[in-house]
Every structure is written in structure tokens, then in C-alpha cells.
């Protein structure tokens, strides 16, 4: 049974930083691509960043240079460092992975950026 548990969200002022964590279980974490998505009120869920088993990363243009995705295979955990936060980054952030063609999601963690 795949489980993804996010933590680390909160309220921060514009320009501030947060670090999100996602602990994974029920998968062979070391060979799994992990991703972070976000969904703002009234908007569709969008991909923020991904990291492959080999450590290759990909980011949506709007967060390049500000967010960093990383992973710790020993802890089965993926991180998202959010720097220089903007009010437009306000959203629920979800951890994602895929196993046998099925997408799995965490419960989400709220990030709110005040101006």
C-alpha cells in the first residue's frame, strides 16, 4: 500500500522560505520518480517539480531559480525547498509518485504567502 505523507507547509510573508517534506512508503523509493504538484483555489492542479531516481530534476518555469527539489533515499523522503516566495505560490502542495501506471497522492500541505 503506497502512502505519501507531506509536511512543512504554513503561512509565510512574501520573500520568505519554507521546506516541504514527503515521506513515502509502499514503493521501492530508490527507483521511483517523485514529484510535487500544487493546486491554487479555482485552478487546476499543476506540476511544480520532479526528480528521478538518478537525481535529474525538472521544474515549471514559474519556480525555476526559486524552488529546489531533492531526495534522501535513505529516508524515503523527497523535499521541496521554496525560496523567494510570492503570493502567487499560495496553494495546496501535493506529493506524487507512480507505481504500476497508477498515480498516488499525499493528503496535501497548505502553503500561504502573504503580501
Amino acid at each position: 500500500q503506497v502512502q505519501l505523507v507531506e509536511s512543512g507547509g504554513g503561512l509565510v510573508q512574501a520573500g520568505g522560505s519554507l521546506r516541504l517534506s514527503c515521506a513515502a512508503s509502499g514503493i521501492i523509493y530508490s527507483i521511483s520518480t517523485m514529484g510535487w504538484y500544487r493546486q491554487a483555489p479555482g485552478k487546476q492542479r499543476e506540476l511544480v517539480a520532479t526528480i528521478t531516481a538518478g537525481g535529474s530534476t525538472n521544474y515549471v518555469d514559474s519556480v525555476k531559480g526559486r524552488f529546489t527539489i531533492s531526495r534522501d533515499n535513505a529516508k524515503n523522503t523527497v523535499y521541496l525547498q521554496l525560496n523567494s516566495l510570492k503570493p502567487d505560490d499560495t496553494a495546496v502542495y501535493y506529493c506524487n509518485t507512480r507505481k504500476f501506471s497508477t498515480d498516488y497522492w499525499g493528503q496535501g500541505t497548505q502553503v500561504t504567502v502573504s503580501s
Side-chain angles (χ1 to χ4, degrees):
Q1 180 176 349
V2 178
Q3 278 198 312
L4 302 172
V5 180
E6 301 104 334
S7 61
L11 172 64
V12 64
Q13 288 189 329
S17 297
L18 286 172
R19 188 193 196 201
L20 308 183
S21 300
C22 171
S25 61
I27 58 173
I28 305 175
Y29 179 81
S30 61
I31 63 170
S32 301
T33 293
M34 304 297 297
W36 285 97
Y37 287 69
R38 66 185 179 185
Q39 187 166 18
K43 295 186 177 181
Q44 288 190 329
R45 191 171 296 189
E46 68 167 350
L47 175 65
V48 176
T50 60
I51 185 166
T52 68
S56 296
T57 58
N58 185 53
Y59 299 91
V60 67
D61 286 346
S62 61
V63 308
K64 284 180 180 177
R66 300 188 298 121
F67 292 7
T68 303
I69 189 170
S70 62
R71 65 191 295 158
D72 185 337
N73 288 347
K75 296 182 178 179
N76 285 9
T77 300
V78 61
Y79 304 97
L80 187 67
Q81 178 68 40
L82 291 68
N83 295 332
S84 302
L85 281 160
K86 305 174 181 180
D88 284 350
D89 294 318
T90 295
V92 178
Y93 284 71
Y94 297 92
C95 183
N96 166 272
T97 193
R98 175 168 287 194
K99 181 179 180 181
F100 300 139
S101 302
T102 299
D103 279 309
Y104 293 89
W105 302 92
Q107 81 286 358
T109 185
Q110 176 71 48
V111 171
T112 303
V113 184
S114 64
S115 56

